Amino acid sequence: MEATRAPARLAETEKSRFLGKTYGWMALALCISAAAAYFTATSETLLSFLFGAPGTKSAPVGFIALVIVELVLVFVLSASIRKIPVGLAVLGFVAYAAVNGMTLSSIFLVYQISSIAMAFFSTAILFSLMSLWGMTTKRNLASWGRYLMMALLGVIIASVTGGLISFFAKTPLPMLDILVSAVVVIIFTALTAYDSQKLLKTAEFARNTDDYKKVSVLAALELYLDFINLLLALLRIFGKKK
């Protein structure tokens, strides 16, 4: 009897270790992004690099460059996660969190610090509740993935279209922005539950190997993106601007 219990205990230990590492990586990424965002927002040199010198109408070349770097990092991590060493996967993940933090520095320039803090805590609560629900519900959420990706693609198209209309008409479209942000909240709330359930299913088979360590990093990246997009959407809806 004891011999049959040992593998079960080992599997449970590996499962807990895998989940702990994944959420630990996610928490670390959030801390790195927060520090990078605040440091950038308080540095005139970095702000000039990102958005141009104050009082000028120069294009935000630095900001655009960092966005491109972010996209490249995500693509490379996702495409080559099976081939690269664990250390390189972790380095890419940390680099992405730092670069994304620099691009997020703009929120400190636009919104009041109290609004940012409120949005963060609201996101943390919503994320935690949906993550817990995704892990405990008996409903299979596997079919949600493709529909959520289609909805996200629709939101991106609507955002780009609205941005172009606003640019050429030289008129902001606040109601469209709020509507898109509300849909984004719904999408990433559902994605949080979906990704959490997917993570739990992966953890059932987790082992202390390099492959699973890299999977843990990639899963942490997915959860991190869910959190950040929720935060930004809530901030656009409820945030008070300076």
Side-chain angles (χ1 to χ4, degrees), residues 63-87:
F63 182 85
I64 295 172
L66 287 185
V67 170
I68 293 173
V69 170
E70 287 184 62
L71 295 174
V72 170
L73 282 172
V74 169
F75 176 78
V76 171
L77 274 176
S78 302
S80 60
I81 193 70
R82 294 182 179 275
K83 302 175 183 178
I84 60 177
V86 176

Side-chain angles (χ1 to χ4, degrees), residues 15-86:
K15 173 182 174 181
S16 299
R17 180 183 299 168
F18 179 82
L19 292 173
K21 282 183 177 179
T22 302
Y23 282 101
W25 284 125
M26 177 200 160
L28 175 63
L30 289 174
C31 290
I32 292 173
S33 293
Y38 183 77
F39 180 76
T40 303
T42 54
S43 170
E44 292 184 5
T45 302
L46 289 175
L47 287 177
S48 296
F49 165 72
L50 288 177
F51 306 108
T56 66
K57 294 183 179 181
S58 56
V61 178
F63 182 85
I64 295 172
L66 287 185
V67 170
I68 293 173
V69 170
E70 287 184 62
L71 295 174
V72 170
L73 282 172
V74 169
F75 176 78
V76 171
L77 274 176
S78 302
S80 60
I81 193 70
R82 294 182 179 275
K83 302 175 183 178
I84 60 177
V86 176

